[in-house]
Amino acid sequence: MSSHAHPRLPYEHIRVVEFTHMVMGPTCGMLLADLGAEVIKVEPVGGDSTRRLLGSGAGFFPMFNRNKKSIALDLKQPEGIEAALRLIDSADIVSENFKAGVMEKLGLDYATLKQRNPRLIYVSHKGFLPGPYEHRTALDEVVQMMGGLAYMTGRPGDPLRAGASVNDIMGGMFGAIGAMAALAQREQTGVGTEVQASLFENNVFLVGQHMMQYAVTGRAAAPMPSRISAWAIYDVFTVKGGEQIFLAVVSDKQWAIFCRAFGLGELLADPRLASNNDRVQARDWLMPQLRSHLAERSAAELADVFEREGLPFAPITRPEQLFEDPHLAATGGLAPIVLEDGRESRVPLAPFTLGGAQPGIRLQPPAVGEHTDALLRGVGYRDDEIAALKARQITQGD
């Protein structure tokens, strides 16, 4: 399977101007760009601060800014705003994820821009949809704590943030979905609309299954580490050499296969274990027996048996090990990318295919202002005008 872009991508005719940073807004733009849109990233002179993050933020820029063009503008200057407005006049979509009130202060809010271009689609990525919380400052971790996800992820009494920016990334995805819906609506109505996506409501959507569990059963969902599993064997096993592997047996048919594969005929015949629900009730004495029985086998040996028998299993993999994952290598799911310091790496592509291929990388993550000159020329600026903007540090380009 090739990782190269589909010959004709669905949004090749769409121009997006994004005023975004960090993860949520850039994810929306990345998905639209992967699908063919021309996405123009408006950065401050000197570059988006996301480029300079350390630690857990060091991967944000290269992950979420491929297939984009960069223009650097000082939006604190009238001439910078004028250049931004000229770009917006040429755009189908504006996307932003600044704090409430920032775009209004700049005159780049939807109410202002739709007067210039009624066909414009405007996507805002915020912490909260309009309501009592909308002026709060939100982060992924904030909404995980207040939205039940940290409670469900950690052990009782120890709320724990999920191990990825799940609300930022999914919030950006819903922003992109909203933009796609607005494009389809515009085909029918001829006018654009405003799309809002949010971290908090996204988080509530994620834990909706646990809310409904309470509605159905009348019992509050327990945090994942202490939950009553729906299946008896659905756990991490520590095996030979201290290795770990996740093993699952989720049906009566799989239970029979599992017992035969591992010489557990007595357990298969035990009437106390006849059904899945019986086995769930018996976990207190069943699981220690199974752990003991499997403890001297290696994780690789167990994986071979489970794969051969069609049983669910998973190695316990660290993120850096995915660079060498054989499935991703075979499918082209990791594409070559150039980091800001010039080193080469590989990055995950969007997790779907069009015509048998995942949308690929057409443009590497841009240098600050890499496309400034060409973009300004495209909206009517002369070379001497561009030079004057650079001289006054209102813009920046190569």
Side-chain angles (χ1 to χ4, degrees), residues 214-297:
Y214 177 76
V216 170
T217 67
R219 297 181 179 178
M224 283 290 179
S226 62
R227 73 194 185 281
I228 298 175
S229 175
W231 300 282
I233 298 92
Y234 196 79
D235 217 332
V236 175
F237 287 73
T238 300
V239 293
K240 187 176 181 180
E243 291 184 302
Q244 291 184 309
I245 185 169
F246 174 81
L247 304 175
V249 179
V250 298
S251 70
D252 295 340
K253 181 179 179 180
Q254 289 185 4
W255 172 245
I257 293 170
F258 171 77
C259 289
R260 284 195 291 268
F262 291 100
L264 295 167
E266 289 186 11
L267 292 180
L268 180 59
D270 191 327
R272 297 174 297 171
L273 305 173
S275 72
N276 175 71
N277 286 352
D278 291 331
R279 293 187 293 275
V280 169
Q281 297 296 329
R283 273 177 60 89
D284 286 350
W285 62 266
L286 174 60
M287 289 302 292
Q289 287 192 35
L290 296 181
R291 293 187 189 282
S292 177
H293 187 76
L294 300 178
E296 293 308 311
R297 296 175 183 255

Side-chain angles (χ1 to χ4, degrees), residues 89-112:
D89 287 343
S90 72
D92 299 278
I93 298 171
V94 165
S95 176
E96 62 89 17
N97 71 331
F98 284 96
K99 289 182 180 179
V102 170
M103 296 300 276
E104 287 85 351
K105 185 177 179 181
L106 295 172
L108 300 176
D109 56 297
Y110 178 60
T112 300

